[in-house]
Amino acid sequence: MIQSIGYAALSPQSPLAPLRFERRELQPNDVVLEILFCGVCHSDLHVARSEWGPSRYPCVPGHEIVGRVTGVGSAVTKFRAGEMAAVGCMVDSCRSCPSCREGEEQFCDQGAVMTYGGPEKHTGGITYGGYSNNIVVDEAYTLKVPAGMDPAATAPLLCAGITTYSPLRHWKVGPGQVVGVFGLGGLGHMALKLAHAMGAHVVLFTTSPDKEADARRLGADDVVLSRDKAAMKAWRNRLDFIIDTVSAPHDINAALNLLKRDGTLCQVGLPPAPLPVNVFALTGRRRRLAGSFIGGIAETQEMLEFCAQHGIVSDIELIPIQEINAAYERLAKGEVKYRFVIDMASLATNADA
Ligand code: NAP
Ligand code: ZN
Ligand code: ZN
Protein backbone atom coordinates (compact mmCIF):
# COMPACT_ATOMS: atom_id res chain seq x y z
CA MET A 1 0.00 0.00 0.00
CA ILE A 2 1.04 3.60 -0.58
CA GLN A 3 1.29 5.73 2.56
CA SER A 4 -0.49 9.09 2.46
CA ILE A 5 -1.01 12.04 4.73
CA GLY A 6 -3.79 14.54 4.37
CA TYR A 7 -6.48 16.55 6.11
CA ALA A 8 -9.77 14.87 6.92
CA ALA A 9 -13.11 15.48 8.59
CA LEU A 10 -14.00 12.63 10.94
CA SER A 11 -17.62 13.74 11.45
CA PRO A 12 -19.97 16.47 10.15
CA GLN A 13 -19.07 18.66 13.13
CA SER A 14 -15.32 18.07 13.36
CA PRO A 15 -12.85 20.54 11.84
CA LEU A 16 -10.47 19.09 9.28
CA ALA A 17 -7.35 17.67 10.92
CA PRO A 18 -4.24 15.71 9.83
CA LEU A 19 -4.76 12.03 9.04
CA ARG A 20 -2.43 9.27 7.90
CA PHE A 21 -4.07 6.74 5.57
CA GLU A 22 -3.26 4.29 2.76
CA ARG A 23 -3.91 4.27 -0.96
CA ARG A 24 -3.90 1.22 -3.24
CA GLU A 25 -0.69 -0.22 -4.67
CA LEU A 26 0.00 0.99 -8.20
CA GLN A 27 -2.04 -1.13 -10.68
CA PRO A 28 -0.80 -1.60 -14.29
CA ASN A 29 -2.86 1.36 -15.59
CA ASP A 30 -2.30 3.64 -12.60
CA VAL A 31 -0.25 6.76 -12.16
CA VAL A 32 0.79 8.13 -8.79
CA LEU A 33 0.95 11.90 -8.41
CA GLU A 34 2.74 13.99 -5.85
CA ILE A 35 0.02 16.60 -5.27
CA LEU A 36 1.33 20.16 -5.59
CA PHE A 37 -1.93 22.14 -5.45
CA CYS A 38 -5.57 21.40 -4.66
CA GLY A 39 -8.48 23.82 -5.07
CA VAL A 40 -11.18 24.18 -2.41
CA CYS A 41 -14.65 23.69 -3.91
CA HIS A 42 -17.89 24.51 -2.10
CA SER A 43 -18.82 20.84 -2.69
CA ASP A 44 -15.92 19.90 -0.38
CA LEU A 45 -17.60 21.85 2.39
CA HIS A 46 -21.09 20.43 1.61
CA VAL A 47 -19.67 16.88 1.80
CA ALA A 48 -17.32 17.36 4.78
CA ARG A 49 -20.33 18.63 6.77
CA SER A 50 -22.83 16.04 5.42
CA GLU A 51 -24.98 18.87 4.03
CA TRP A 52 -26.31 16.66 1.18
CA GLY A 53 -27.10 13.73 3.48
CA PRO A 54 -24.74 11.45 5.42
CA SER A 55 -21.17 11.38 4.04
CA ARG A 56 -18.66 8.60 4.57
CA TYR A 57 -15.86 9.34 7.05
CA PRO A 58 -12.99 9.87 7.30
CA CYS A 59 -13.63 12.40 4.53
CA VAL A 60 -10.48 13.68 2.78
CA PRO A 61 -11.98 16.26 0.37
CA GLY A 62 -10.42 17.79 -2.73
CA HIS A 63 -11.11 17.27 -6.45
CA GLU A 64 -9.19 20.09 -8.12
CA ILE A 65 -5.80 18.43 -8.18
CA VAL A 66 -2.59 19.34 -10.00
CA GLY A 67 0.59 17.41 -9.32
CA ARG A 68 3.66 15.76 -10.68
CA VAL A 69 3.73 12.12 -11.81
CA THR A 70 6.16 10.25 -9.57
CA GLY A 71 5.43 6.71 -10.76
CA VAL A 72 3.57 4.84 -13.48
CA GLY A 73 2.18 1.31 -13.72
CA SER A 74 3.55 -1.22 -16.24
CA ALA A 75 0.80 -0.59 -18.85
CA VAL A 76 0.70 3.22 -18.69
CA THR A 77 1.27 4.96 -22.04
CA LYS A 78 -0.08 8.50 -21.51
CA PHE A 79 2.27 9.70 -18.75
CA ARG A 80 5.89 9.57 -17.70
CA ALA A 81 7.44 10.24 -14.31
CA GLY A 82 8.24 13.93 -13.90
CA GLU A 83 5.32 15.23 -16.00
CA MET A 84 2.58 17.51 -14.68
CA ALA A 85 -0.86 15.90 -14.46
CA ALA A 86 -4.29 16.72 -13.07
CA VAL A 87 -7.26 14.94 -11.52
CA GLY A 88 -10.80 16.27 -11.26
CA CYS A 89 -14.03 15.09 -9.67
CA MET A 90 -14.07 11.45 -10.76
CA VAL A 91 -11.46 8.70 -10.82
CA ASP A 92 -13.31 5.79 -12.46
CA SER A 93 -16.60 4.63 -14.01
CA CYS A 94 -17.94 1.41 -15.60
CA ARG A 95 -16.52 2.27 -19.08
CA SER A 96 -19.22 0.27 -20.89
CA CYS A 97 -22.62 1.94 -20.35
CA PRO A 98 -23.96 4.34 -23.01
CA SER A 99 -22.83 7.45 -21.08
CA CYS A 100 -19.31 6.07 -20.56
CA ARG A 101 -19.05 5.10 -24.24
CA GLU A 102 -20.21 8.59 -25.26
CA GLY A 103 -17.59 10.31 -23.09
CA GLU A 104 -20.11 11.43 -20.46
CA GLU A 105 -18.61 9.29 -17.70
CA GLN A 106 -20.03 11.61 -15.03
CA PHE A 107 -23.47 10.16 -15.85
CA CYS A 108 -22.30 6.50 -15.70
CA ASP A 109 -25.19 4.07 -15.15
CA GLN A 110 -23.19 2.35 -12.37
CA GLY A 111 -22.35 5.72 -10.81
CA ALA A 112 -19.02 7.36 -11.58
CA VAL A 113 -16.47 6.83 -8.79
CA MET A 114 -16.05 10.25 -7.22
CA THR A 115 -12.55 11.37 -6.24
CA TYR A 116 -13.48 11.30 -2.56
CA GLY A 117 -16.13 9.40 -0.65
CA GLY A 118 -16.67 6.93 -3.49
CA PRO A 119 -16.17 3.15 -3.47
CA GLU A 120 -12.48 2.18 -3.86
CA LYS A 121 -12.90 -1.16 -5.64
CA HIS A 122 -9.25 -2.25 -5.19
CA THR A 123 -9.12 -1.77 -1.42
CA GLY A 124 -12.81 -2.25 -0.62
CA GLY A 125 -12.69 1.07 1.22
CA ILE A 126 -13.52 4.59 0.09
CA THR A 127 -11.71 7.06 -2.12
CA TYR A 128 -9.73 9.92 -0.56
CA GLY A 129 -9.33 13.27 -2.29
CA GLY A 130 -6.69 15.86 -2.93
CA TYR A 131 -6.15 17.52 0.46
CA SER A 132 -3.17 15.19 0.72
CA ASN A 133 0.38 14.60 -0.44
CA ASN A 134 -0.31 11.99 -3.16
CA ILE A 135 -3.00 10.18 -5.14
CA VAL A 136 -3.20 7.00 -7.23
CA VAL A 137 -5.48 7.23 -10.30
CA ASP A 138 -6.04 5.22 -13.49
CA GLU A 139 -4.40 7.08 -16.37
CA ALA A 140 -7.72 7.08 -18.27
CA TYR A 141 -9.14 9.45 -15.62
CA THR A 142 -6.00 11.60 -15.37
CA LEU A 143 -5.64 14.83 -17.37
CA LYS A 144 -2.68 16.43 -19.12
CA VAL A 145 -1.77 19.96 -18.02
CA PRO A 146 -1.03 22.04 -21.15
CA ALA A 147 2.51 23.45 -21.23
CA GLY A 148 2.97 26.89 -19.74
CA MET A 149 -0.10 26.90 -17.49
CA ASP A 150 0.42 28.05 -13.91
CA PRO A 151 -0.17 24.88 -11.87
CA ALA A 152 -1.77 26.53 -8.81
CA ALA A 153 -4.19 28.66 -10.84
CA THR A 154 -4.98 25.69 -13.11
CA ALA A 155 -6.15 23.45 -10.24
CA PRO A 156 -9.66 25.04 -9.97
CA LEU A 157 -10.29 24.38 -13.66
CA LEU A 158 -10.62 20.68 -12.79
CA CYS A 159 -14.02 21.30 -11.16
CA ALA A 160 -15.08 24.96 -11.33
CA GLY A 161 -13.76 25.18 -14.90
CA ILE A 162 -15.33 22.05 -16.37
CA THR A 163 -18.62 22.46 -14.47
CA THR A 164 -19.19 25.82 -16.17
CA TYR A 165 -17.53 25.00 -19.54
CA SER A 166 -19.66 21.90 -20.14
CA PRO A 167 -23.12 23.55 -19.99
CA LEU A 168 -21.89 26.62 -21.89
CA ARG A 169 -20.82 24.25 -24.69
CA HIS A 170 -23.86 21.97 -24.43
CA TRP A 171 -26.23 24.93 -24.88
CA LYS A 172 -23.94 26.37 -27.60
CA VAL A 173 -23.30 29.73 -25.98
CA GLY A 174 -21.58 32.17 -28.33
CA PRO A 175 -21.62 35.56 -30.05
CA GLY A 176 -24.98 37.30 -30.25
CA GLN A 177 -26.28 35.69 -27.06
CA VAL A 178 -26.92 37.27 -23.69
CA VAL A 179 -25.84 34.96 -20.85
CA GLY A 180 -26.60 35.44 -17.17
CA VAL A 181 -24.35 34.10 -14.41
CA PHE A 182 -25.79 33.87 -10.88
CA GLY A 183 -23.27 33.99 -8.01
CA LEU A 184 -19.69 35.18 -8.15
CA GLY A 185 -17.72 32.49 -6.37
CA GLY A 186 -15.45 29.76 -7.69
CA LEU A 187 -17.83 28.49 -10.38
CA GLY A 188 -19.24 31.94 -11.14
CA HIS A 189 -15.89 33.57 -11.83
CA MET A 190 -14.98 30.77 -14.25
CA ALA A 191 -18.38 31.12 -15.95
CA LEU A 192 -17.68 34.84 -16.50
CA LYS A 193 -14.26 34.16 -18.03
CA LEU A 194 -15.42 31.27 -20.21
CA ALA A 195 -18.68 32.80 -21.49
CA HIS A 196 -16.77 36.01 -22.28
CA ALA A 197 -14.10 34.03 -24.17
CA MET A 198 -16.87 32.24 -26.12
CA GLY A 199 -18.08 35.64 -27.33
CA ALA A 200 -21.35 36.05 -25.42
CA HIS A 201 -22.60 39.25 -23.76
CA VAL A 202 -22.28 38.30 -20.08
CA VAL A 203 -24.37 39.64 -17.20
CA LEU A 204 -23.48 38.85 -13.58
CA PHE A 205 -26.25 38.62 -10.97
CA THR A 206 -24.78 38.93 -7.50
CA THR A 207 -25.84 39.55 -3.92
CA SER A 208 -22.51 41.30 -3.21
CA PRO A 209 -22.26 44.98 -4.27
CA ASP A 210 -18.50 44.97 -3.54
CA LYS A 211 -17.85 42.39 -6.30
CA GLU A 212 -18.92 44.65 -9.19
CA ALA A 213 -15.47 45.91 -10.25
CA ASP A 214 -14.00 42.41 -10.09
CA ALA A 215 -16.90 41.06 -12.14
CA ARG A 216 -16.20 43.51 -14.95
CA ARG A 217 -12.50 42.65 -14.88
CA LEU A 218 -13.39 38.93 -15.04
CA GLY A 219 -15.56 39.32 -18.15
CA ALA A 220 -19.00 40.68 -17.16
CA ASP A 221 -20.46 43.32 -19.51
CA ASP A 222 -23.19 44.19 -16.99
CA VAL A 223 -23.59 43.61 -13.26
CA VAL A 224 -26.98 43.41 -11.53
CA LEU A 225 -27.72 43.19 -7.80
CA SER A 226 -30.10 40.24 -7.60
CA ARG A 227 -31.78 41.56 -4.42
CA ASP A 228 -32.67 44.88 -6.16
CA LYS A 229 -36.19 44.25 -7.47
CA ALA A 230 -36.21 47.23 -9.87
CA ALA A 231 -32.85 46.25 -11.37
CA MET A 232 -34.08 42.68 -11.82
CA LYS A 233 -37.27 43.88 -13.51
CA ALA A 234 -35.23 45.79 -16.07
CA TRP A 235 -33.68 42.49 -17.18
CA ARG A 236 -36.94 40.52 -17.60
CA ASN A 237 -37.22 38.44 -20.80
CA ARG A 238 -33.76 39.44 -22.02
CA LEU A 239 -31.46 36.46 -21.44
CA ASP A 240 -30.86 33.50 -23.76
CA PHE A 241 -29.21 31.32 -21.14
CA ILE A 242 -28.53 31.39 -17.41
CA ILE A 243 -25.98 29.42 -15.43
CA ASP A 244 -26.93 29.44 -11.75
CA THR A 245 -23.97 28.65 -9.44
CA VAL A 246 -25.57 29.68 -6.13
CA SER A 247 -24.78 27.25 -3.30
CA ALA A 248 -27.62 28.24 -0.95
CA PRO A 249 -31.42 28.53 -1.13
CA HIS A 250 -32.45 31.45 -3.37
CA ASP A 251 -35.34 32.65 -5.55
CA ILE A 252 -35.00 30.66 -8.76
CA ASN A 253 -38.26 32.12 -10.14
CA ALA A 254 -36.77 35.60 -10.16
CA ALA A 255 -33.99 34.15 -12.34
CA LEU A 256 -36.35 32.22 -14.67
CA ASN A 257 -38.31 35.40 -15.37
CA LEU A 258 -35.19 36.95 -16.93
CA LEU A 259 -35.15 34.36 -19.75
CA LYS A 260 -36.45 35.11 -23.25
CA ARG A 261 -38.95 32.77 -24.89
CA ASP A 262 -37.36 29.27 -25.14
CA GLY A 263 -34.44 30.29 -22.93
CA THR A 264 -32.79 27.82 -20.56
CA LEU A 265 -31.69 28.15 -16.95
CA CYS A 266 -29.04 25.56 -16.11
CA GLN A 267 -28.64 24.91 -12.40
CA VAL A 268 -25.13 23.86 -11.38
CA GLY A 269 -25.14 25.14 -7.79
CA LEU A 270 -26.33 22.42 -5.41
CA PRO A 271 -28.18 23.97 -2.45
CA PRO A 272 -28.91 21.28 0.14
CA ALA A 273 -32.68 22.01 0.15
CA PRO A 274 -35.12 21.90 -2.83
CA LEU A 275 -35.73 25.15 -4.73
CA PRO A 276 -39.47 25.86 -5.14
CA VAL A 277 -40.36 26.46 -8.80
CA ASN A 278 -43.34 28.58 -9.80
CA VAL A 279 -44.42 26.79 -12.98
CA PHE A 280 -45.89 30.01 -14.36
CA ALA A 281 -42.31 31.24 -14.70
CA LEU A 282 -41.75 28.32 -17.11
CA THR A 283 -45.03 28.14 -19.03
CA GLY A 284 -45.33 31.83 -19.88
CA ARG A 285 -42.45 31.79 -22.32
CA ARG A 286 -41.81 28.07 -22.84
CA ARG A 287 -38.70 28.40 -20.68
CA ARG A 288 -36.62 25.42 -19.64
CA LEU A 289 -35.07 24.53 -16.30
CA ALA A 290 -32.08 22.19 -16.61
CA GLY A 291 -29.11 20.94 -14.63
CA SER A 292 -25.56 19.90 -15.37
CA PHE A 293 -22.93 17.89 -13.51
CA ILE A 294 -19.19 18.47 -14.05
CA GLY A 295 -18.16 17.13 -17.51
CA GLY A 296 -16.63 14.07 -19.17
CA ILE A 297 -12.92 13.28 -19.24
CA ALA A 298 -12.40 14.18 -22.92
CA GLU A 299 -14.35 17.40 -22.45
CA THR A 300 -12.25 18.25 -19.39
CA GLN A 301 -9.12 17.89 -21.51
CA GLU A 302 -10.75 20.05 -24.22
CA MET A 303 -11.57 22.68 -21.57
CA LEU A 304 -7.93 22.74 -20.39
CA GLU A 305 -6.76 23.28 -23.99
CA PHE A 306 -9.39 26.02 -24.47
CA CYS A 307 -8.17 27.76 -21.32
CA ALA A 308 -4.52 27.45 -22.42
CA GLN A 309 -5.38 28.99 -25.80
CA HIS A 310 -7.33 31.86 -24.26
CA GLY A 311 -4.95 32.51 -21.36
CA ILE A 312 -7.60 31.59 -18.81
CA VAL A 313 -6.84 30.36 -15.30
CA SER A 314 -8.58 30.84 -11.96
CA ASP A 315 -8.10 33.87 -9.70
CA ILE A 316 -6.83 32.26 -6.53
CA GLU A 317 -5.93 32.83 -2.90
CA LEU A 318 -3.10 30.41 -2.09
CA ILE A 319 -3.27 29.03 1.45
CA PRO A 320 -1.26 26.60 3.57
CA ILE A 321 -3.30 23.53 4.49
CA GLN A 322 -3.24 24.53 8.16
CA GLU A 323 -5.65 27.37 7.24
CA ILE A 324 -8.29 25.11 5.70
CA ASN A 325 -10.84 25.46 8.51
CA ALA A 326 -10.69 29.28 8.42
CA ALA A 327 -10.98 29.06 4.63
CA TYR A 328 -14.19 27.00 4.98
CA GLU A 329 -15.70 29.72 7.18
CA ARG A 330 -15.03 32.33 4.49
CA LEU A 331 -16.31 30.00 1.77
CA ALA A 332 -19.57 29.52 3.70
CA LYS A 333 -20.01 33.31 3.69
CA GLY A 334 -19.33 33.68 -0.08
CA GLU A 335 -16.22 35.75 0.64
CA VAL A 336 -13.56 34.02 -1.47
CA LYS A 337 -11.80 35.89 -4.30
CA TYR A 338 -12.36 33.64 -6.11
CA ARG A 339 -10.97 30.23 -5.26
CA PHE A 340 -8.84 29.02 -2.38
CA VAL A 341 -6.02 26.74 -3.51
CA ILE A 342 -4.01 24.74 -1.00
CA ASP A 343 -0.25 24.84 -1.48
CA MET A 344 0.59 21.25 -0.62
CA ALA A 345 4.21 22.16 0.13
CA SER A 346 2.80 23.34 3.48
CA LEU A 347 1.97 19.70 4.27
CA ALA A 348 5.32 18.28 3.20
CA THR A 349 7.40 20.77 5.18
CA ASN A 350 5.65 19.83 8.41
CA ALA A 351 5.85 16.12 9.12
CA ASP A 352 3.21 16.35 11.83
CA ALA A 353 1.11 18.56 9.54
P1 NAP B 1 -18.71 29.52 -3.84
O1 NAP B 1 -17.35 29.85 -4.28
O2 NAP B 1 -19.04 29.53 -2.39
O3 NAP B 1 -19.72 30.52 -4.64
C1 NAP B 1 -21.09 30.49 -4.42
C2 NAP B 1 -21.63 31.92 -4.64
O4 NAP B 1 -23.05 31.89 -4.51
C3 NAP B 1 -21.20 32.93 -3.61
O5 NAP B 1 -19.95 33.50 -3.87
C4 NAP B 1 -22.31 33.98 -3.69
O6 NAP B 1 -22.08 34.85 -4.82
C5 NAP B 1 -23.52 33.13 -4.03
N1 NAP B 1 -24.34 32.90 -2.82
C6 NAP B 1 -23.98 32.26 -1.68
N2 NAP B 1 -25.00 32.24 -0.82
C7 NAP B 1 -26.02 32.86 -1.43
C8 NAP B 1 -27.38 33.14 -1.06
N3 NAP B 1 -27.86 32.77 0.15
N4 NAP B 1 -28.17 33.78 -1.94
C9 NAP B 1 -27.70 34.15 -3.15
N5 NAP B 1 -26.42 33.93 -3.54
C10 NAP B 1 -25.62 33.30 -2.68
O7 NAP B 1 -19.13 28.07 -4.34
P2 NAP B 1 -18.63 27.24 -5.63
O8 NAP B 1 -17.47 26.43 -5.26
O9 NAP B 1 -18.62 28.15 -6.78
O10 NAP B 1 -19.85 26.21 -5.78
C11 NAP B 1 -21.16 26.69 -6.03
C12 NAP B 1 -22.15 25.55 -5.94
O11 NAP B 1 -21.95 24.67 -7.04
C13 NAP B 1 -22.03 24.68 -4.68
O12 NAP B 1 -23.34 24.32 -4.24
C14 NAP B 1 -21.29 23.46 -5.19
O13 NAP B 1 -21.55 22.31 -4.42
C15 NAP B 1 -21.88 23.34 -6.57
N6 NAP B 1 -21.09 22.55 -7.54
C16 NAP B 1 -21.78 21.86 -8.46
C17 NAP B 1 -21.10 21.16 -9.44
C18 NAP B 1 -21.84 20.43 -10.50
O14 NAP B 1 -21.24 19.59 -11.18
N7 NAP B 1 -23.12 20.71 -10.73
C19 NAP B 1 -19.69 21.15 -9.44
C20 NAP B 1 -19.04 21.91 -8.48
C21 NAP B 1 -19.73 22.61 -7.54
P3 NAP B 1 -22.44 36.41 -4.77
O15 NAP B 1 -21.66 36.97 -3.62
O16 NAP B 1 -21.99 36.90 -6.09
O17 NAP B 1 -23.92 36.53 -4.59
ZN1 ZN C 1 -16.15 20.85 -7.10
ZN1 ZN D 1 -20.68 3.76 -17.20
Side-chain angles (χ1 to χ4, degrees), residues 9 27 36 59 82 113 154 167 175 177 181 227 230 242 325 338:
Q27 304 298 303
L36 300 175
C59 170
V113 179
T154 296
Q177 290 181 333
V181 175
R227 288 181 177 147
I242 293 173
N325 293 303
Y338 281 90

Side-chain angles (χ1 to χ4, degrees), residues 168-169 171-181 191-204 218-222 239-243 306:
L168 292 171
R169 280 292 191 230
W171 276 279
K172 301 185 168 56
V173 163
Q177 290 181 333
V178 184
V179 171
V181 175
L192 292 184
K193 291 184 185 214
L194 292 167
H196 175 77
M198 291 173 190
H201 182 100
V202 189
V203 187
L204 174 73
L218 294 164
D221 298 286
D222 289 290
L239 304 181
D240 295 283
F241 183 72
I242 293 173
I243 182 162
F306 179 92

